[in-house]
Amino acid sequence: MRVTNNMMADNMLYDLNNNLTKMLKTEQQLSSGVKIQLPSDDPVGTARLLMLKKNSQSNDKYIKNAQDASSWLNYTDSALDNLTQDMARIKELTVDGATGTLASSDMKSIAEEIGQIRDDIYTLGNSTYTDRYIFGGFDTQTAPLTKITSTDGTGIDDINMQQPDIPSDYVPDEINYEIGDNTKISINTNAYQVFGPVTDADGNAITGDLFSDLKKLENALNTGDQKTVSDMIDTMDKHSDQILAVRADIGAKVNRLDLVTSRLQDNSLNITDLLSKTEDVDMAQAATNLSTQQSVYQASLQIGAKVLLPTLLDFIK
Amino acid sequence: MSLFYGLNIASSALFANQKALDVTSHNVANANTKGYTREEVIFKANAPSMGITTSSGYGTGQIGSGVSIEDIERVRNMFLDSQFRNESQQSGEWDIKNQILTAVQEIFNEPSDSGITTVLSDFFDSLQELSKNPQSNDVRSLVRQNAVSLTDTVNNLYNQLSDQKEQAVFNIKTDVTQINSLAKQIGNLDDQIYKFETTGNEANDLRDQRDSLVDQLSALANVKAYETSNGQYRIDIGGRALVNGNVSYDIEYADNGSDITKPSDVIKWQDDGSGVDIQGGEIQGLFDMVYGDNSGLKGIPYYMDQLDDFAYNFAKSFNEVHKQGYTLNSTEDHPIAGTDFFDMKTATDEDHKGYAKIFGISSIISDPVSGLNMIAASGTGEPGNNENALKLAALSTDTTVFEDDIQNVKYDGAAETVTITLRDNIDTSSLAGAKVKIDGADIDITADEIKNNTITLSVAGSPDEIAISGVKYTNGLVSDDDPESITLNAGSYQAPGKSGTFGDRINSIISGLGVDGQQADSMSSNQDNLVKQVNSLRAQTSGVSLDEEMTNLIKYQHSYQAAAKIISTIDNMLDTLLNIS
């Protein structure tokens, strides 16, 4: 086979070029840290990578939502904790006031303290969290409880909230957060659920709402109506139980969110791991490749130099 | 037969070897000239003079009369040339496709942290934030900003793809000009070669030039070169002559916009306007990239159409859900419903070409004073209600967004009803009052015939054809006269399922692009290898080897010296003869 000098030179150049191309690719991978620069480098890997990224992003989104939901619920719970303490004090005072042995001035001081606690509960009911009334339902910009000066001669203000005509007709406003694909959790508590009348199994009211009951109690203490005060002990117990039930519900939701968050975070770790395996360059491997390619390149340069130089001219005198 | 006869023989050797030396030095001088074919000297023994049988006794047999150069042969293999041109044509086509597809991939910039998938994901994230805090102005502002990012990204992608296309069209025009110019040059060379070769010799260097031009031409289009009996070339494209002898025919590029499926629709012969049947080479590659708009031939317009499709369906689906919600200005007694979030402009289901370029949020939402309030996050009108925001965020996982509006049309002969099943999320409020044509007769759809997502119509007799206006569908059962009707052939029509979320649609565009890019890359490097191999074979035959030329140099020099020695010997002999006194 006849071989010319140009053929040798062309071949050498072609192979050198190939070596350099491989080196360039490895060097790009090392300096950017990713295996796939263009989709055509690995179309199947690219498809997988894009899907993993999507999963990772939606997972992070759900974690954030779960944490925000938890915050709201915890804030609600601490408000209700204060409420529970208030209710405990009210029970003490009511029991005191129900003993027949108190003077009317003492009963009036108890009434006054009840009045103060009622105001405190009113403030609690209008708590805000990040500029929203937490007990307001969908109407987060309007205070759920309003105080109106009373005209019925008792001297005690009315505290009103939105109430349905029939307690069994009540549909609570549910603000939902998404914590998974098509999975939602409601995070709010409505004023009516906490302060509204306690109902029996059929949905009929067996007490008034908390504020009107407290007003009744205060009025009874003011006017010395010991019998009513005595009846109120049971009523206040029922209200306390209702509040506790709401708190239990919140507690259950918080627990659920803890589980969900923990699961999502585990998922997140797994996905990050998979992402890294698909997308990231194995630094050790790439560095080894680069060093191999460099030796090959140097060898080809050296041999090329030896092979290209001599022609017959060097030996003809 | 005198001594002078011997002198003649020796001097013929001198001339021949001198000439051979000239050829050797020409080869050496042109060792690195591209396209140069080495020349080989063919020596021939001169015609012998017949021996004359005379009484003097000389004439025994033939007596040679020296050497002359018969031919300076150009050592070239025509078969290898045609092989080279075949490979070069493919190489031209795949090289340009590889180049353009790489550019398209870089435009999409995936996978990365700043491509369209990230922007889309950020938009849906901001909608999640909206669902957690629907009244906050900050969050609404974030939603609007992310929406603008999304539309800007899509606009940008479309514009860059469009620029690439323009660039490729410009390349086609340049290549056409180049073909014309090469053809003209080849024609000129043909003329010169013909004139020279009438003298009986081969025009070696001119032929080299001509072959080099044909090599360049072969990368551009599928040319076939033949040598005719008078030594001129005929170069054909698609069976018709581009160069015939010394006449060349020009071609031109003319895009008249309609119905373009192959290169001969846009590249025409200048003299009679008929199509040039180009089927390979760089021009074919460019053509595929500029005009390929269907899944069989994925050029730049295909990706632009996919982008249009995505943007249009995104805007449409988003608007549908947005209009079901209520804005921040609403109250429970006076709810104000949402309007279009994205501006649909004049796009329709049948024609939304170029929508990706004008995709943008509507002026109501972008209004600096009242725009933020017009984002409809509430499901009931109360400001704290986040139901619609949740629905909007849920679009990111909705797999029905690309489905046809009409999923199924069935005729029940026993109950004499036609039941039309629509896709799940469709806004049926616009359907009451839409017209249905059954076998050409108009039927109104009344509101009570619409339940959930099905329309049930009573129809007597068995209808063959049903047409519905105002609802989108595509089907393979179209009758020629009325393109909007569905023919109830087997009694029912089932829509082709096309499901996937918005993210999935983008992902499939990108991975499809990756597959095409990979194919172009590997074809291109394969072809490069093949071209190199054929070139190597050509060099094997026609390349100059310096070693060989040096050896020849020594050969001819020694022959020359020997011949000169003979002359001087004969000279001595003559001397001896002449000095006989």
Side-chain angles (χ1 to χ4, degrees):
Chain A
M1 170 174 141
R2 183 172 170 272
V3 176
T4 66
N5 312 74
N6 281 345
M7 276 166 73
M8 309 266 289
D10 283 344
N11 262 337
M12 194 191 91
L13 275 175
Y14 181 78
D15 290 327
L16 274 180
N17 218 24
N18 276 349
N19 285 339
L20 277 176
T21 309
K22 285 187 200 138
M23 267 171 65
L24 180 65
K25 199 155 182 71
T26 310
E27 183 259 335
Q28 267 180 334
Q29 286 182 343
L30 270 175
S31 58
S32 68
V34 289
K35 264 193 268 195
I36 303 178
Q37 313 285 341
L38 287 176
S40 60
D41 293 343
D42 183 2
V44 172
T46 303
R48 200 165 59 232
L49 186 64
L50 289 173
M51 194 192 68
L52 282 174
K53 276 202 163 139
K54 188 177 78 155
N55 283 347
S56 169
Q57 277 161 334
S58 63
N59 213 47
D60 287 344
K61 194 170 58 180
Y62 293 139
I63 291 179
K64 181 139 201 318
N65 286 358
Q67 286 168 342
D68 285 345
S70 232
S71 284
W72 180 294
L73 285 166
N74 281 330
Y75 188 82
T76 309
D77 191 54
S78 79
L80 289 178
D81 187 47
N82 284 339
L83 180 60
T84 308
Q85 287 169 22
D86 282 347
M87 290 304 287
R89 181 74 185 130
I90 287 176
K91 167 117 186 236
E92 261 178 40
L93 290 171
T94 314
V95 166
D96 263 352
T99 63
T101 56
L102 283 179
S104 106
S105 58
D106 289 330
M107 284 181 72
K108 281 209 172 72
S109 358
I110 293 179
E112 201 172 310
E113 195 176 338
I114 298 254
Q116 288 302 314
I117 296 178
R118 185 169 177 256
D119 276 343
D120 189 41
I121 295 179
Y122 165 71
T123 314
L124 269 177
N126 281 342
S127 305
T128 57
Y129 175 64
T130 61
D131 286 342
R132 286 168 283 176
Y133 289 103
I134 58 175
F135 295 112
F138 286 142
D139 240 325
T140 54
Q141 299 298 308
T142 323
L145 305 171
T146 46
K147 202 186 256 192
I148 309 177
T149 323
S150 80
T151 50
D152 58 7
T154 56
I156 305 171
D157 293 330
D158 285 315
I159 295 180
N160 294 334
M161 62 183 142
Q162 267 201 329
Q163 304 202 32
D165 292 329
I166 309 173
S168 50
D169 278 352
Y170 179 64
V171 174
D173 285 347
E174 287 191 358
I175 299 181
N176 288 321
Y177 282 10
E178 211 175 353
I179 52 169
D181 279 349
N182 294 323
T183 313
K184 300 192 188 55
I185 189 174
S186 89
I187 51 114
N188 70 323
T189 313
N190 290 283
Y192 188 77
Q193 291 168 303
V194 179
F195 304 117
V198 181
T199 57
D200 64 13
D202 298 324
N204 302 319
I206 51 179
T207 66
D209 65 87
L210 180 61
F211 296 105
S212 44
D213 281 347
L214 282 173
K215 177 170 174 173
K216 203 157 138 188
L217 176 61
E218 200 180 329
N219 199 32
L221 283 165
N222 273 338
T223 54
D225 181 355
Q226 190 240 348
K227 173 156 189 323
T228 311
V229 174
S230 184
D231 287 338
M232 276 292 151
I233 297 177
D234 189 47
T235 312
M236 285 303 144
D237 273 343
K238 289 198 168 67
H239 277 295
S240 285
D241 285 342
Q242 177 164 273
I243 293 169
L244 273 174
V246 172
R247 286 189 74 191
D249 193 41
I250 292 179
K253 283 187 186 155
V254 169
N255 282 346
R256 178 181 168 200
L257 282 171
D258 278 343
L259 287 172
V260 165
T261 308
S262 149
R263 182 174 47 82
L264 286 172
Q265 278 167 340
D266 279 345
N267 258 3
S268 178
L269 277 176
N270 283 342
I271 295 179
T272 310
D273 192 42
L274 269 176
L275 254 181
S276 175
K277 286 202 179 97
T278 312
E279 178 180 44
D280 293 341
V281 166
D282 179 349
M283 283 297 179
Q285 170 110 45
T288 316
N289 281 349
L290 186 62
S291 129
T292 315
Q293 282 157 3
Q294 274 173 336
S295 336
V296 169
Y297 179 64
Q298 277 191 325
S300 58
L301 281 176
Q302 283 174 334
I303 306 243
K306 287 207 171 70
V307 157
L308 279 186
L309 286 177
T311 62
L312 203 49
L313 280 165
D314 298 327
F315 299 97
I316 299 179
K317 282 196 295 292
Chain B
M1 296 297 122
S2 61
L3 277 172
F4 292 98
Y5 189 66
L7 268 180
N8 271 340
I9 297 179
S11 69
S12 79
L14 282 180
F15 290 136
N17 283 308
Q18 201 179 320
K19 194 86 183 89
L21 216 62
D22 284 344
V23 171
T24 305
S25 94
H26 183 63
N27 278 345
V28 166
N30 281 302
N32 294 326
T33 307
K34 193 170 155 67
Y36 177 76
T37 315
R38 71 187 167 99
E39 291 167 3
E40 209 174 270
V41 173
I42 312 285
F43 291 111
K44 190 182 80 164
N46 280 340
S49 51
M50 284 310 193
I52 309 164
T53 36
T54 61
S55 54
S56 56
Y58 278 74
T60 41
Q62 296 177 335
I63 303 183
S65 59
V67 71
S68 64
I69 293 186
E70 178 184 35
D71 193 12
I72 300 179
E73 187 186 308
R74 183 172 167 259
V75 185
R76 190 158 183 123
N77 186 337
M78 298 296 275
F79 173 67
L80 285 177
D81 275 341
S82 84
Q83 255 200 326
F84 175 82
R85 283 158 197 163
N86 272 344
E87 300 303 344
S88 158
Q89 176 192 320
Q90 300 243 34
S91 179
E93 184 180 337
W94 286 107
D95 272 348
I96 198 73
K97 277 187 180 165
N98 189 25
Q99 208 178 314
I100 293 184
L101 281 173
T102 306
V104 170
Q105 286 176 72
E106 282 170 359
I107 288 176
F108 272 101
N109 193 19
E110 288 287 355
S112 79
D113 289 334
S114 48
I116 186 172
T117 51
T118 309
V119 174
L120 188 63
S121 183
D122 284 348
F123 179 57
F124 280 119
D125 276 357
S126 65
L127 286 171
Q128 281 286 340
E129 287 302 313
L130 185 66
S131 78
K132 290 187 286 185
N133 203 344
Q135 301 114 295
S136 158
N137 243 15
D138 289 340
V139 173
R140 282 169 175 255
S141 178
L142 189 68
V143 168
R144 184 167 70 180
Q145 202 45 50
N146 278 330
V148 170
S149 276
L150 178 64
T151 56
D152 278 353
T153 306
V154 172
N155 295 151
N156 218 20
L157 276 176
Y158 188 87
N159 285 337
Q160 283 180 304
L161 285 175
S162 189
D163 283 346
Q164 269 298 313
K165 196 170 91 140
E166 286 314 302
Q167 188 73 353
V169 168
F170 182 74
N171 273 356
I172 295 183
K173 291 191 186 145
T174 312
D175 280 352
V176 164
T177 313
Q178 174 88 330
I179 288 182
N180 286 341
S181 154
L182 286 170
K184 218 180 253 17
Q185 289 176 49
I186 293 176
N188 281 342
L189 280 171
D190 265 349
D191 197 33
Q192 292 175 32
I193 291 173
Y194 178 69
K195 287 185 179 133
F196 182 83
E197 289 186 350
T198 50
T199 63
N201 298 312
E202 250 193 47
N204 288 336
D205 294 319
L206 291 174
R207 278 177 177 259
D208 279 346
Q209 279 183 43
R210 186 174 61 180
D211 276 325
S212 175
L213 291 174
V214 177
D215 285 349
Q216 285 181 43
L217 198 53
S218 69
L220 295 176
N222 54 327
V223 295
K224 293 241 178 309
Y226 314 93
E227 185 168 332
T228 58
S229 53
N230 58 3
Q232 293 186 320
Y233 267 10
R234 182 188 149 111
I235 302 195
D236 280 357
I237 297 186
R240 190 168 144 168
L242 177 68
V243 175
N244 194 358
N246 53 3
V247 183
S248 68
Y249 300 93
D250 279 349
I251 61 177
E252 63 184 358
Y253 170 74
D255 185 348
N256 63 356
S258 61
D259 203 24
I260 297 176
T261 54
K262 45 196 192 310
S264 54
D265 291 331
V266 286
I267 303 193
K268 312 273 186 199
W269 294 102
Q270 219 171 57
D271 48 14
D272 68 356
S274 61
V276 179
D277 190 16
I278 293 186
Q279 287 180 21
E282 195 171 291
I283 293 198
Q284 174 76 51
L286 283 168
F287 176 84
D288 286 346
M289 287 292 114
V290 170
Y291 293 100
D293 62 358
N294 55 60
S295 55
L297 189 62
K298 292 189 208 159
I300 298 176
Y302 174 76
Y303 293 105
M304 286 163 83
D305 283 348
Q306 290 283 307
L307 214 52
D308 283 337
D309 222 25
F310 168 79
Y312 177 75
N313 278 307
F314 190 84
K316 182 169 161 201
S317 305
F318 197 87
N319 284 348
E320 252 176 32
V321 178
H322 192 250
K323 287 196 277 208
Q324 292 171 16
Y326 298 93
T327 68
L328 199 56
N329 302 331
S330 327
T331 58
E332 208 163 355
D333 307 321
H334 299 288
I336 304 178
T339 54
D340 277 345
F341 188 95
F342 293 106
D343 194 345
M344 300 303 286
K345 298 253 163 79
T346 52
T348 62
D349 285 345
E350 287 78 31
D351 177 21
H352 44 264
K353 203 173 166 72
Y355 182 69
K357 192 177 160 87
I358 53 177
F359 181 44
I361 59 176
S362 75
S363 52
I364 295 179
I365 304 282
S366 65
D367 185 285
V369 171
S370 62
L372 292 180
N373 288 346
M374 295 303 285
I375 300 180
S378 172
T380 58
E382 290 158 298
N385 183 300
N386 67 348
E387 282 159 12
N388 213 40
L390 280 173
K391 273 200 225 168
L392 286 171
L395 278 174
S396 74
T397 48
D398 185 351
T399 54
T400 64
V401 284
F402 285 102
E403 284 183 351
D404 281 338
D405 283 348
I406 297 188
Q407 292 289 300
N408 188 296
V409 179
K410 227 199 291 248
Y411 172 66
D412 184 343
E416 287 195 334
T417 55
V418 169
T419 311
I420 304 170
T421 312
L422 307 168
R423 76 173 157 85
D424 289 333
N425 285 334
I426 197 168
D427 180 15
T428 50
S429 59
S430 60
L431 279 179
K435 289 256 178 289
V436 178
K437 252 199 203 10
I438 298 193
D439 283 346
D442 271 333
I443 299 193
D444 281 319
I445 302 180
T446 54
D448 41 323
E449 284 165 330
I450 304 175
K451 190 184 294 185
N452 290 335
N453 63 336
T454 40
I455 305 176
T456 318
L457 303 166
S458 335
V459 170
S462 116
D464 291 314
E465 228 177 64
I466 175 165
I468 307 175
S469 69
V471 201
K472 173 193 93 169
Y473 61 89
T474 53
N475 67 84
L477 308 169
V478 152
S479 79
D480 286 346
D481 353 295
D482 184 1
E484 285 184 7
S485 57
I486 302 171
T487 310
L488 296 165
N489 270 331
S492 82
Y493 157 77
Q494 180 69 43
K498 272 191 301 192
S499 72
T501 66
F502 290 115
D504 288 344
R505 179 54 76 92
I506 298 263
N507 288 358
S508 83
I509 295 177
I510 307 266
S511 33
L513 182 58
V515 169
D516 284 344
Q518 195 185 47
Q519 185 201 22
D521 191 36
S522 77
M523 287 298 287
S524 169
S525 69
N526 275 352
Q527 282 305 125
D528 279 349
N529 203 12
L530 285 171
V531 166
K532 169 188 159 290
Q533 281 194 14
V534 178
N535 248 347
S536 192
L537 285 174
R538 283 212 297 197
Q540 202 182 315
T541 317
S542 318
V544 172
S545 162
L546 287 177
D547 292 342
E548 193 181 48
E549 300 304 321
M550 286 304 111
T551 317
N552 285 345
L553 181 68
I554 296 174
K555 259 180 16 190
Y556 300 144
Q557 187 194 17
H558 281 225
S559 296
Y560 188 88
Q561 285 175 337
K565 188 77 182 149
I566 293 180
I567 291 183
S568 96
T569 308
I570 295 185
D571 182 43
N572 281 341
M573 286 163 69
L574 272 173
D575 239 359
T576 313
L577 190 60
L578 289 169
N579 285 328
I580 297 175
S581 53

